[in-house]
Amino acid sequence: VLSGCGVYDGTEIHEASAVLVHLSRGGAEVHMYAPDVPQMHVIDHSKGQPAEAESRNVLVESARIARGKIASLAQLTTADHDAVIFPGGFGAAKNLSTFAVDGKDCKVNKEVERVLKDFHKAGKPIGLCCISPVLAAKVLSGAEVTVGHEEEEGGKWPYAGTAGAIKELGGKHCVKESVFSLTPFYEAHVDTKNKVVTTPAFMCETELHNIFDGIGAMVKNVLKLTGK
């Protein structure tokens, strides 16, 4: 499920690509979706500033990443899929929800909420990375997720405050690394009860290959939870 195209106002493109590569390597058949709604705003990524005169559509922008093969999120059903994955990027906090503006009091897009609840009810795995775990924390009360560390540690974890917000949303936060360690699932956290798998990705200032590998751990565990 995509949220636009570009880290500051949509889907983080490197994360989406990593998800797609690991799903392909895992032998999965992939369908892409995005809500057919206006973006919260448009960011000029060369300046990091809003482009005041511009407006864009989340589905139309997401089609750039999907190479045109994408459908409205309203068409996504649990009957046709074994799992669902949400890459990160500020679009998850701006277009899939209002978390970027409202924090713990945020609202989640009604189709995103429906999809999360439907997959959870059906016992089908949900994967999320970077900032997108806030969606599960808001919609699935008590879900265990990770956005990495809970302290900034000199700038290594610039969005560490999100961990506190997850707790305020009703979720349980689990500290995880963005690099390989000796723990069984290294960068990914697996909530086996709720079948929610999360990884920090760009919540950490680290090398791109570490983010790619962490997303691989998330995808691998999502596919494992499908039982196929």
Side-chain angles (χ1 to χ4, degrees), residues 122-146:
K124 294 185 174 183
I126 300 165
L128 311 103
C129 61
C130 195
I131 191 67
S132 67
V134 299
L135 302 172
K138 175 68 176 181
V139 174
L140 307 176
S141 181
E144 294 180 359
V145 300
T146 188

Side-chain angles (χ1 to χ4, degrees), residues 55-75:
S55 62
R56 300 185 185 183
N57 177 279
V58 175
L59 177 59
V60 173
E61 291 303 298
S62 298
R64 295 175 181 271
I65 297 174
R67 297 175 61 87
K69 296 179 180 179
I70 195 166
S72 170
L73 187 59
Q75 298 178 38

Side-chain angles (χ1 to χ4, degrees), residues 87-225:
F90 279 98
K94 294 178 176 180
N95 304 327
L96 303 188
S97 72
T98 64
F99 181 78
V101 176
D102 300 323
K104 65 181 179 62
D105 298 317
C106 68
K107 293 181 175 63
V108 175
N109 171 279
K110 64 179 182 179
E111 290 296 338
V112 172
E113 183 174 3
R114 175 189 63 81
V115 168
L116 288 168
K117 287 182 175 179
D118 286 356
F119 274 81
H120 183 255
K121 184 178 180 180
K124 294 185 174 183
I126 300 165
L128 311 103
C129 61
C130 195
I131 191 67
S132 67
V134 299
L135 302 172
K138 175 68 176 181
V139 174
L140 307 176
S141 181
E144 294 180 359
V145 300
T146 188
V147 289
H149 282 208
E150 298 179 357
E151 302 292 337
E152 291 188 16
E153 298 179 17
K156 182 180 179 182
W157 296 91
Y159 309 107
T162 307
I166 282 172
K167 295 173 185 176
E168 292 179 320
L169 287 168
K172 298 178 181 179
H173 185 259
C174 303
V175 173
K176 290 288 177 178
E177 299 290 342
S178 256
V179 295
F180 282 107
S181 67
L182 299 178
T183 53
F185 300 110
Y186 29 96
E187 312 88 352
H189 179 73
V190 182
D191 177 351
T192 54
K193 178 182 176 181
N194 292 297
K195 292 192 175 181
V196 172
V197 188
T198 51
T199 192
F202 278 103
M203 298 299 276
C204 181
E205 290 291 332
T206 187
E207 291 81 5
L208 182 60
H209 68 274
N210 288 327
I211 291 161
F212 182 88
D213 291 345
I215 290 172
M218 181 266 286
V219 171
K220 181 178 180 181
N221 283 290
V222 166
L223 294 178
K224 182 179 179 180
L225 286 172

